[in-house]
Amino acid sequence: DSGVTQTPKHLITATGQRVTLRCSPRSGDLSVYWYQQSLDQGLQFLIQYYNGEERAKGNILERFSAQQFPDLHSELNLSSLELGDSALYFCASSVGGSWETQYFGPGTRLLVL
Amino acid sequence: GDSVTQMEGPVTLSEEAFLTINCTYTATGYPSLFWYVQYPGEGLQLLLKATKADDKGSNKGFEATYRKETTSFHLEKGSVQVSDSAVYFCALSDPAQGAQKLVFGQGTRLTINP
């Protein structure tokens, strides 16, 4: 158990819909990262937040957004969903702003029908 | 941009066999290198890491040495067990990119038969 929690574990929805994925980092970790794992694209970095502020952006679509709240939990919002958004979404956390190890949550499996 | 290339899977071995999973990387700066493991139905777990050239990371019988001259970080284990069956990801984190994101290889699925 990494100490990173993600909810829900599974999500099934329809095209065009909007969903919110939630992540709680390890106690004491200030950075949260979101990754997408799909069969065709592999594991790709989406976005990082550090202590409530956006720190870095990767291959995140404009239909997707995220935020980190004062209690340091983070939410990833996916809107206007398409079939191709079906994937495993992982959250990871690390202590802070230097190059520490990232610890991953169990993931949320999203299926768009 | 930075990239990681792993050997194609799947890899199937018998118990107690020697394991090598090749990983090479391309990076702008001097990256840290990682191996993560994903067991069926679970998230990624850090297996080992190395932060500078010639460092050797080790954990649970697995080892990998950071080779700057060959830009490689190959994963090895002398005697694999059925419980090692999983998907293994090589990854890097490059400070030169100004972000702490991990860049992953495509993953190598390992199956160990009794």
Side-chain angles (χ1 to χ4, degrees):
Chain A
D1 185 354
S2 67
V4 179
T5 59
Q6 290 187 247
T7 56
K9 195 167 184 178
H10 301 279
L11 202 46
I12 302 175
T13 188
T15 55
Q17 295 298 304
R18 183 179 189 277
V19 297
T20 298
L21 282 52
R22 182 188 169 104
C23 167
S24 293
R26 294 186 320 158
S27 177
D29 284 1
L30 299 178
S31 270
V32 169
Y33 312 76
W34 287 97
Y35 292 84
Q36 179 193 58
Q37 184 180 32
S38 61
L39 282 174
D40 53 345
Q41 298 288 330
L43 258 167
Q44 293 209 343
F45 168 74
L46 296 178
I47 197 163
Q48 177 201 359
Y49 277 81
Y50 173 73
N51 204 21
E53 300 288 327
E54 183 183 301
R55 173 64 68 92
K57 255 186 178 178
N59 301 322
I60 188 166
L61 299 172
E62 284 191 15
R63 300 183 285 109
F64 296 180
S65 65
Q67 53 184 329
Q68 186 179 26
F69 295 86
D71 67 351
L72 301 177
H73 91 271
S74 177
E75 292 180 356
L76 180 66
N77 300 297
L78 315 176
S79 61
S80 302
L81 285 167
E82 302 175 1
L83 296 177
D85 297 326
S86 296
L88 253 176
Y89 291 85
F90 286 109
C91 167
S93 72
S94 68
V95 172
S98 59
W99 302 92
E100 305 94 354
T101 299
Q102 294 181 28
Y103 294 89
F104 282 75
T108 293
R109 185 173 293 279
L110 173 67
L111 181 58
V112 182
L113 300 175
Chain B
D2 292 357
S3 66
V4 175
T5 302
Q6 289 180 237
M7 67 185 287
E8 292 274 342
V11 174
T12 302
L13 296 171
S14 297
E15 210 165 17
E16 299 183 6
F18 184 86
L19 168 71
T20 300
I21 300 179
N22 289 338
C23 170
T24 57
Y25 67 90
T26 303
T28 308
Y30 298 95
S32 294
L33 302 174
F34 305 84
W35 278 99
Y36 279 85
V37 58
Q38 186 177 26
Y39 297 103
E42 299 184 14
L44 281 80
Q45 300 177 26
L46 177 68
L47 182 58
L48 53 84
K49 69 176 183 180
T51 57
K52 62 183 189 296
D54 300 324
D55 266 3
K56 179 187 281 189
S58 61
N59 185 26
K60 300 182 181 179
F62 290 90
E63 292 184 340
T65 301
Y66 189 143
R67 301 284 187 204
K68 192 165 182 292
E69 64 276 12
T70 54
T71 61
S72 65
F73 193 54
H74 305 321
L75 183 68
E76 296 182 336
K77 186 173 185 182
S79 176
V80 292
Q81 307 299 315
V82 172
S83 57
D84 294 327
S85 298
V87 180
Y88 291 81
F89 292 91
C90 184
L92 68 79
S93 180
D94 186 358
Q97 294 300 308
Q100 297 158 242
K101 66 176 183 179
L102 286 166
V103 176
F104 287 91
Q106 67 270 39
T108 302
R109 182 174 299 278
L110 173 67
T111 301
I112 307 300
N113 293 321

